Amino acid sequence: MVRIMKLLTRDERPPGEEPVSDPVPEPEVSRAKRVRVLLAAACTPLLFSYTAVAMVLAVVAFAADRSRFSAVGAVLAAGPGWLAAWQVELEIGGHPLGVLPLLPTLVVAGLAARTAARAVRRIGGRTPADAVPVVAVTAGAHALFGVFIALLAGGSPIGVNPLTAFCVPGLIAGLAAVAGVAKRCGLPATVRDRFDPVAVHGLRAGALGLAAMVACGAVVFTVATAFSWSTVDSLFEPGLGASLGLFVLSVAYLPNAVVAALSFTTGPGFSVGSLTVGMFGYQEGQLPGVPVLAGIPSHHAVWWPALLLLPALTGALVGWKIRAIDEDPMPRMRAVAVAGALVAFGCVILGTLSGGRLGDGPFDPVSVPVGVASVIAFCWIVIPGGFVAFFAGAHEPPAPPTEPEATVEVEVEEEVFEAEEEAVEAEEDEAVPADDDLDDEAEAELARELGEDSGETPPETEPEQDIAVTESTDGSGDESAPGGDR
């Protein structure tokens, strides 16, 4: 039975001629479903981020000693906390709070990016045009929600600028949504098609260099904190509530501390109030009792400049990444310059977000010199990176000196003419006979031709004339003899 079924279902066409089925078209998304997906993309990250902030504040308030827990108070306090997570500067009792934690910002931005990517996938987006509605509703929803919270906070001890609450969350959420939908909608391919390939290679290497710079700052921060673990332990209070609050605060500000360590590793350093910590300079000052700052040294050390080897190795890594993109060294130098510009711009963004005002007390402000840090970061990428990219990559051999075309053509014609003459002479040598008789006949024939041309009688005809004259003389004598007898 099985054999019969195989015979009945066997395809008799030769291989390579099988029918090709038409691609199944994707079902068109209805307008109602598209609207639902866009609303979900706009509201989901708002609800989740607000709920997460409220839960963290509720847990800290519940665990704190000598505090009265209120669920309503935690929900209302989550509004300013949500704005702080989106890097909106606050005013608490008239004192500015601009140095805001970066870890919550990374979390809420990642949530917005993931929601946007899921929304584009549900509506079947394939092109950058399909991503525009998702990005627009995500950015618009966060901007409007920020203004709403700022208006609700009016008249309370916490003040917010409505314009800042509108622009900053909308901008960050929009950028996060673009990052989420980029791969799905083909944005990288569009960028590659519109940009110079050398610039694209430079951007990739610059992203690698920026990540390596951040990793260097993280290593320095981790090592410094590990060597200061006794100080970290002493800053935690015995109570669970206070220790939990300090722990949450320190974890939230970890990326800020890494950026400060990055600035210190590259050379410019950072400052907290009157305290200034730099590679080649140190000014003492007071520090807040936060465990995340326990690794800050209390005095300058001579061996600190040895840490400059880390950014130098980062620049060499960028140059090694670029070394093989082209055989000509000049495009590689251009790519290194693009990578350095990207790293410098990234340092400006990170330094701006990680610092800010901290009240009006002794710890104000917390800052990273973004201008100097960006220039130095650019140099750390371009100088060692350019050296490695130039000498480690391939080099084209020098081209031989070129001669004018006219001279080359004349030489070629002369060579062809000489070759033709040699061929003609060789044919003549083969055609000439070696017999001496032929030479004599040729000379005699040449002499006859010369005689005819000059009008002279050839020497061969002279004996014939003599014979004719003699015969005529003899005849005349014989005829006169009989006359004489008469």
Side-chain angles (χ1 to χ4, degrees), residues 14 17 20 144 158 180 261 270 279 286 304 379 425 428 476 485:
E17 296 184 3
V20 179
L144 294 176
I158 299 178
F270 61 93
M279 187 66 66
Q286 189 177 0
W304 283 357
C379 294
E425 291 177 358
E428 291 178 354
S476 62
D485 292 339

mmCIF file of all heavy atoms in Angstrom, residues 14 17 20 144 158 180 261 270 279 286 304 379 425 428 476 485:
data_model
loop_
_atom_site.group_PDB
_atom_site.id
_atom_site.type_symbol
_atom_site.label_atom_id
_atom_site.label_comp_id
_atom_site.label_asym_id
_atom_site.label_seq_id
_atom_site.Cartn_x
_atom_site.Cartn_y
_atom_site.Cartn_z
ATOM 1 N N PRO A 14 11.508 16.447 -14.165
ATOM 2 C CA PRO A 14 12.931 16.365 -13.817
ATOM 3 C C PRO A 14 13.287 17.397 -12.767
ATOM 4 O O PRO A 14 12.593 18.398 -12.598
ATOM 5 C CB PRO A 14 13.636 16.653 -15.154
ATOM 6 C CG PRO A 14 12.641 17.411 -15.953
ATOM 7 C CD PRO A 14 11.296 16.888 -15.537
ATOM 8 N N GLU A 17 12.734 21.681 -12.338
ATOM 9 C CA GLU A 17 11.528 22.199 -12.976
ATOM 10 C C GLU A 17 10.324 22.131 -12.054
ATOM 11 O O GLU A 17 9.186 22.093 -12.498
ATOM 12 C CB GLU A 17 11.235 21.407 -14.259
ATOM 13 C CG GLU A 17 12.314 21.547 -15.323
ATOM 14 C CD GLU A 17 11.935 20.836 -16.608
ATOM 15 O OE1 GLU A 17 10.809 20.294 -16.652
ATOM 16 O OE2 GLU A 17 12.735 20.825 -17.553
ATOM 17 N N VAL A 20 7.282 26.773 -8.655
ATOM 18 C CA VAL A 20 7.612 27.695 -7.565
ATOM 19 C C VAL A 20 6.330 28.334 -7.095
ATOM 20 O O VAL A 20 5.615 28.986 -7.862
ATOM 21 C CB VAL A 20 8.614 28.774 -8.051
ATOM 22 C CG1 VAL A 20 8.931 29.729 -6.913
ATOM 23 C CG2 VAL A 20 9.875 28.115 -8.589
ATOM 24 N N LEU A 144 3.214 64.593 26.683
ATOM 25 C CA LEU A 144 1.962 65.044 27.295
ATOM 26 C C LEU A 144 1.844 64.594 28.742
ATOM 27 O O LEU A 144 1.359 65.340 29.604
ATOM 28 C CB LEU A 144 0.771 64.521 26.475
ATOM 29 C CG LEU A 144 0.645 65.096 25.060
ATOM 30 C CD1 LEU A 144 -0.518 64.434 24.326
ATOM 31 C CD2 LEU A 144 0.456 66.604 25.110
ATOM 32 N N ILE A 158 7.411 70.467 45.487
ATOM 33 C CA ILE A 158 8.233 70.034 44.351
ATOM 34 C C ILE A 158 7.778 70.805 43.116
ATOM 35 O O ILE A 158 6.609 70.732 42.710
ATOM 36 C CB ILE A 158 8.091 68.519 44.111
ATOM 37 C CG1 ILE A 158 8.564 67.750 45.346
ATOM 38 C CG2 ILE A 158 8.891 68.103 42.882
ATOM 39 C CD1 ILE A 158 8.413 66.250 45.222
ATOM 40 N N GLY A 180 14.461 51.149 19.071
ATOM 41 C CA GLY A 180 13.740 49.882 19.126
ATOM 42 C C GLY A 180 13.264 49.403 17.778
ATOM 43 O O GLY A 180 13.282 48.192 17.501
ATOM 44 N N ALA A 261 34.156 58.181 36.710
ATOM 45 C CA ALA A 261 35.406 57.410 36.636
ATOM 46 C C ALA A 261 35.986 57.427 35.224
ATOM 47 O O ALA A 261 37.212 57.456 35.043
ATOM 48 C CB ALA A 261 35.153 55.975 37.083
ATOM 49 N N PHE A 270 36.658 65.022 37.600
ATOM 50 C CA PHE A 270 35.308 65.453 37.947
ATOM 51 C C PHE A 270 35.375 66.250 39.235
ATOM 52 O O PHE A 270 36.432 66.328 39.887
ATOM 53 C CB PHE A 270 34.372 64.241 38.109
ATOM 54 C CG PHE A 270 34.800 63.296 39.193
ATOM 55 C CD1 PHE A 270 34.303 63.419 40.484
ATOM 56 C CD2 PHE A 270 35.715 62.280 38.932
ATOM 57 C CE1 PHE A 270 34.706 62.557 41.501
ATOM 58 C CE2 PHE A 270 36.112 61.408 39.924
ATOM 59 C CZ PHE A 270 35.615 61.550 41.205
ATOM 60 N N MET A 279 43.488 63.722 37.086
ATOM 61 C CA MET A 279 44.661 62.891 36.924
ATOM 62 C C MET A 279 45.926 63.605 37.371
ATOM 63 O O MET A 279 46.839 62.987 37.930
ATOM 64 C CB MET A 279 44.773 62.453 35.456
ATOM 65 C CG MET A 279 45.872 61.446 35.177
ATOM 66 S SD MET A 279 45.596 59.847 35.960
ATOM 67 C CE MET A 279 44.139 59.294 35.079
ATOM 68 N N GLN A 286 34.553 68.276 50.834
ATOM 69 C CA GLN A 286 33.638 67.409 51.585
ATOM 70 C C GLN A 286 32.831 66.549 50.624
ATOM 71 O O GLN A 286 32.469 66.972 49.531
ATOM 72 C CB GLN A 286 32.713 68.268 52.445
ATOM 73 C CG GLN A 286 31.867 67.476 53.425
ATOM 74 C CD GLN A 286 31.030 68.369 54.296
ATOM 75 O OE1 GLN A 286 31.092 69.602 54.164
ATOM 76 N NE2 GLN A 286 30.243 67.778 55.193
ATOM 77 N N TRP A 304 48.778 57.538 39.374
ATOM 78 C CA TRP A 304 47.545 57.733 38.619
ATOM 79 C C TRP A 304 47.765 57.870 37.105
ATOM 80 O O TRP A 304 46.972 57.337 36.316
ATOM 81 C CB TRP A 304 46.801 58.956 39.144
ATOM 82 C CG TRP A 304 46.069 58.687 40.436
ATOM 83 C CD1 TRP A 304 45.968 57.501 41.095
ATOM 84 C CD2 TRP A 304 45.350 59.636 41.219
ATOM 85 N NE1 TRP A 304 45.232 57.644 42.240
ATOM 86 C CE2 TRP A 304 44.831 58.954 42.335
ATOM 87 C CE3 TRP A 304 45.079 60.999 41.086
ATOM 88 C CZ2 TRP A 304 44.073 59.578 43.315
ATOM 89 C CZ3 TRP A 304 44.323 61.634 42.061
ATOM 90 C CH2 TRP A 304 43.823 60.930 43.162
ATOM 91 N N CYS A 379 41.111 63.049 21.106
ATOM 92 C CA CYS A 379 42.555 62.828 20.905
ATOM 93 C C CYS A 379 42.963 61.405 21.258
ATOM 94 O O CYS A 379 43.814 60.806 20.581
ATOM 95 C CB CYS A 379 43.346 63.831 21.730
ATOM 96 S SG CYS A 379 43.139 65.555 21.214
ATOM 97 N N GLU A 425 65.446 42.181 -44.404
ATOM 98 C CA GLU A 425 66.837 41.798 -44.643
ATOM 99 C C GLU A 425 67.018 40.297 -44.575
ATOM 100 O O GLU A 425 67.755 39.698 -45.361
ATOM 101 C CB GLU A 425 67.736 42.491 -43.621
ATOM 102 C CG GLU A 425 67.820 43.997 -43.823
ATOM 103 C CD GLU A 425 68.664 44.649 -42.745
ATOM 104 O OE1 GLU A 425 69.128 43.904 -41.847
ATOM 105 O OE2 GLU A 425 68.855 45.868 -42.795
ATOM 106 N N GLU A 428 65.779 38.870 -47.845
ATOM 107 C CA GLU A 428 66.709 39.120 -48.951
ATOM 108 C C GLU A 428 67.930 38.206 -48.867
ATOM 109 O O GLU A 428 68.415 37.697 -49.869
ATOM 110 C CB GLU A 428 67.145 40.589 -48.947
ATOM 111 C CG GLU A 428 66.011 41.548 -49.318
ATOM 112 C CD GLU A 428 66.462 42.985 -49.253
ATOM 113 O OE1 GLU A 428 67.620 43.195 -48.816
ATOM 114 O OE2 GLU A 428 65.689 43.867 -49.646
ATOM 115 N N SER A 476 85.971 44.364 -104.082
ATOM 116 C CA SER A 476 86.286 45.430 -105.008
ATOM 117 C C SER A 476 87.575 45.175 -105.752
ATOM 118 O O SER A 476 87.709 45.476 -106.958
ATOM 119 C CB SER A 476 86.362 46.776 -104.244
ATOM 120 O OG SER A 476 87.404 46.698 -103.278
ATOM 121 N N ASP A 485 92.775 43.920 -117.286
ATOM 122 C CA ASP A 485 93.241 43.071 -118.344
ATOM 123 C C ASP A 485 92.717 43.579 -119.680
ATOM 124 O O ASP A 485 93.360 43.431 -120.706
ATOM 125 C CB ASP A 485 92.743 41.637 -118.107
ATOM 126 C CG ASP A 485 93.423 41.030 -116.860
ATOM 127 O OD1 ASP A 485 94.491 41.542 -116.502
ATOM 128 O OD2 ASP A 485 92.855 40.081 -116.263
#
